[in-house]
Amino acid sequence: MNKITKTVITLSAISLLLVGCDLKKDEKTEAKPTTIEEIQKEKGKPARVVKATAAKLSDVRKFSGSIEGMQQSYAISKMSDPLAKINVQVGSSVQKDQVLAEYIFTGDNTQYQQAQEQVALLEKATERMRELHAKGGISQQDMDTQEMQLKIAKMNLETARRATKILAPAAGVVTELNYKVGQTPGLGGVFCTIAKLNQVILKLNVTSNDIGYFKKGATATVTVAGEKIKGKVTLIPLAANPQTRFFPVEVTFDNKHKKLLPGMYVTAELDAREVSGIVIPNEAIVYRNGVNAVWTVDNEGKARRKIVKLGVQTKDDIQITEGLEDNETVMVEGQNRMSDGDKVLIVE
């Protein structure tokens, strides 16, 4: 046998050996599960789990309302004439009786001038009567009557003077300005609102179902521009507003930096109460067809669906009032792929 023939025989033998090895490898591969369903049937469907635990949760309730200034008052127009000058703007700090605005003088608003003339006339008459009284020409009673008439005239003059301008009823900050120069507020019109802003009030309209959660002194928190500001419940009315049927609850905030301004509509979070019970993460709840349920893993590693009743919920956790026991294994991821009785592969 020559050298070439030997080489051919050797290569053929090697080829047959390799083919045999490939056949055995294919047989072994076919013996293993090759689909996701087969793998899950053998090893289980993957799920991430936690233990249900007995814990306490804070019942935080949210209520919305408007901010108002403390000791809020209103500057009222006492004449039906246009405004000639406005001395303040929103945000201006004012003192009591400071002149906020003045009217345009017209032929109709002469009451002040008439009062001036009346006072001047009575002052001259009173001076003459004092001279007569000193000489015994008139009685003390006549002198007292004249002095009273002058006093009343001066009071009327002051009333008329104050009516010719709009004055600040109290010290504070102008939080709302309702008119511009040239406009006419009218008799009794609210020219502006003045409030003290070192403290502000949040007024909440609370329903009959929720009023029981409020306790005087309870903490309420609002968030403004990313900053949390805490206040206290300071007023809980004993009766609802007869028109709205809501209870007007007040929450007071210190407002040194004036972050809360009148007219702001904000939502307050109230620490209503603390409850104890079985607690799990919110993502464990599966809501379907009007029913809340969780998926648990039993002692045999099988998936079990349990209908539960929910209690207090926070941002991350929820209280289970019925349907779940302490220390049960609860799925928080993968439960939507489960069927009752499926084998579960717990993953980290």
Side-chain angles (χ1 to χ4, degrees), residues 27 54 76 79 112 152 158 167 259 289 301 319:
E27 289 173 1
I76 305 298
M79 297 184 72
Y112 176 56
I152 291 173
E158 177 59 19
L167 306 180
K259 293 292 183 70
N289 298 326
Q319 176 197 25

Side-chain angles (χ1 to χ4, degrees), residues 34-289:
T34 57
T35 66
I36 293 176
E37 290 77 11
E38 289 175 346
I39 293 171
Q40 290 180 347
K41 185 175 181 180
E42 180 181 318
K43 296 185 177 181
K45 292 182 178 180
R48 189 167 60 84
V49 301
V50 297
K51 290 288 187 180
T53 57
K56 292 182 178 180
L57 284 182
S58 292
D59 186 4
V60 178
R61 302 270 169 154
K62 293 184 178 182
F63 302 91
S64 297
S66 297
I67 296 291
E68 293 185 5
M70 185 72 75
Q71 299 178 12
Q72 196 159 271
S73 56
Y74 306 94
I76 305 298
S77 172
K78 296 180 181 179
M79 297 184 72
S80 298
D81 295 293
L83 295 171
K85 185 179 180 183
I86 295 176
N87 302 322
V88 295
Q89 58 187 359
V90 172
S92 297
S93 295
V94 299
Q95 299 300 316
K96 187 178 186 305
D97 288 336
Q98 180 176 327
V99 177
L100 306 177
E102 301 174 31
Y103 297 100
I104 294 174
F105 179 77
T106 68
D108 296 327
N109 55 12
T110 59
Q111 186 177 358
Y112 176 56
Q113 287 73 23
Q114 291 172 359
Q116 279 182 312
E117 293 295 332
Q118 181 71 16
V119 168
L121 183 63
L122 285 172
E123 281 180 338
K124 290 178 180 179
T126 302
E127 186 60 32
R128 289 194 298 269
M129 292 185 71
R130 283 174 184 152
E131 293 175 359
L132 288 172
H133 178 261
K135 296 175 181 179
I138 60 172
S139 66
Q140 183 62 46
Q141 183 177 357
D142 290 339
M143 189 69 246
D144 290 343
T145 300
Q146 182 64 27
E147 294 280 6
M148 180 58 68
Q149 288 179 351
L150 178 58
K151 186 176 181 179
I152 291 173
K154 287 183 176 180
M155 292 172 61
N156 290 336
L157 174 62
E158 177 59 19
T159 300
R161 185 193 70 80
R162 292 174 68 87
T164 62
K165 299 175 176 62
I166 299 178
L167 306 180
V173 177
V174 176
T175 59
E176 185 178 16
L177 196 60
N178 299 321
Y179 296 93
K180 298 178 181 179
V181 170
Q183 293 182 326
T184 304
L187 185 63
V190 177
F191 170 70
C192 71
T193 304
I194 296 171
K196 293 183 178 179
L197 297 183
N198 286 338
Q199 281 190 322
V200 293
I201 295 171
L202 171 61
K203 286 198 172 182
L204 305 173
N205 288 321
V206 180
T207 66
S208 301
N209 292 333
D210 292 327
I211 191 64
Y213 291 112
F214 285 84
K215 300 290 184 290
K216 196 169 183 179
T219 299
T221 305
V222 298
T223 302
V224 178
E227 179 180 346
K228 291 186 179 295
I229 304 173
K230 294 185 180 295
K232 297 288 185 183
V233 176
T234 51
L235 177 65
I236 303 173
L238 298 178
N241 183 304
Q243 279 76 42
T244 65
R245 301 299 180 185
F246 288 115
F247 290 83
V249 173
E250 292 185 3
V251 182
T252 300
F253 295 86
D254 288 329
N255 194 38
K256 181 179 179 182
H257 301 293
K258 296 181 174 57
K259 293 292 183 70
L260 296 172
L261 300 175
M264 279 185 173
Y265 191 78
V266 297
T267 298
E269 295 183 345
L270 176 76
D271 296 333
R273 56 178 175 156
E274 192 172 69
V275 297
S276 299
I278 303 302
V279 176
I280 60 174
N282 289 327
E283 58 262 35
I285 303 298
V286 177
Y287 180 80
R288 189 175 299 161
N289 298 326

